[in-house]
Amino acid sequence: MEVQTSIEKPIWNQFVTENNGHILQRWEYGNVRQDMQTKIERLAFYHAGKIQAVVQMSIHPIPYLPWKVGYIPRGPVTTNTFSTEDWDEFFKTLKDTWIYIHEPSLK
């Protein structure tokens, strides 16, 4: 699985919409958070050249520590074919970079 941080807004929003993602995972919500001085990371997970998952994460420094917390509101957004192995790789990627907090999307 390949992770990319450069993805275009229309492609991102199309993926979120087609996979019943929450509005808090739409590009525009990330822009609103950026306007509030919050750092936003957008990650797209590809397999065989197709997007399998996207994550829009706000990054928050932990006071007095060298770490940051990534918060993913109502995400990630995945395809129906996202496998157990895909989840393992997804979490490993996040864990290698950030302390991960997950708020499950309630559908």
Side-chain angles (χ1 to χ4, degrees):
M1 185 176 292
E2 178 187 350
V3 180
Q4 291 186 7
T5 57
S6 60
I7 183 172
E8 295 178 10
K9 176 182 172 180
I11 295 169
W12 181 280
N13 281 339
Q14 180 180 358
F15 182 85
V16 170
T17 300
E18 289 176 353
N19 292 282
N20 300 314
H22 196 276
I23 193 169
L24 297 182
Q25 285 296 307
R26 288 186 59 87
W27 192 279
E28 292 81 3
Y29 179 74
N31 286 350
V32 168
R33 296 292 289 150
Q34 286 176 327
D35 290 345
M36 298 171 154
Q37 307 306 311
T38 301
K39 181 171 172 43
I40 297 294
E41 293 282 343
R42 293 182 179 100
L43 306 174
F45 293 78
Y46 287 81
H47 181 71
K50 290 189 166 186
I51 300 175
Q52 297 299 307
V54 295
V55 171
Q56 181 165 251
M57 178 172 25
S58 57
I59 308 298
H60 306 274
I62 301 173
Y64 308 109
L65 296 174
W67 303 310
K68 297 177 183 175
V69 174
Y71 173 62
I72 303 170
R74 302 290 188 223
V77 180
T78 65
T79 63
N80 291 335
T81 59
F82 207 65
S83 69
T84 302
E85 293 80 21
D86 292 335
W87 279 111
D88 290 344
E89 191 167 343
F90 169 83
F91 285 118
K92 182 183 181 315
T93 300
L94 291 179
K95 184 180 173 189
D96 288 346
T97 311
W98 297 283
I99 296 172
Y100 177 69
I101 296 175
H102 178 223
E103 178 181 341
S105 180
L106 304 174
K107 293 183 180 179

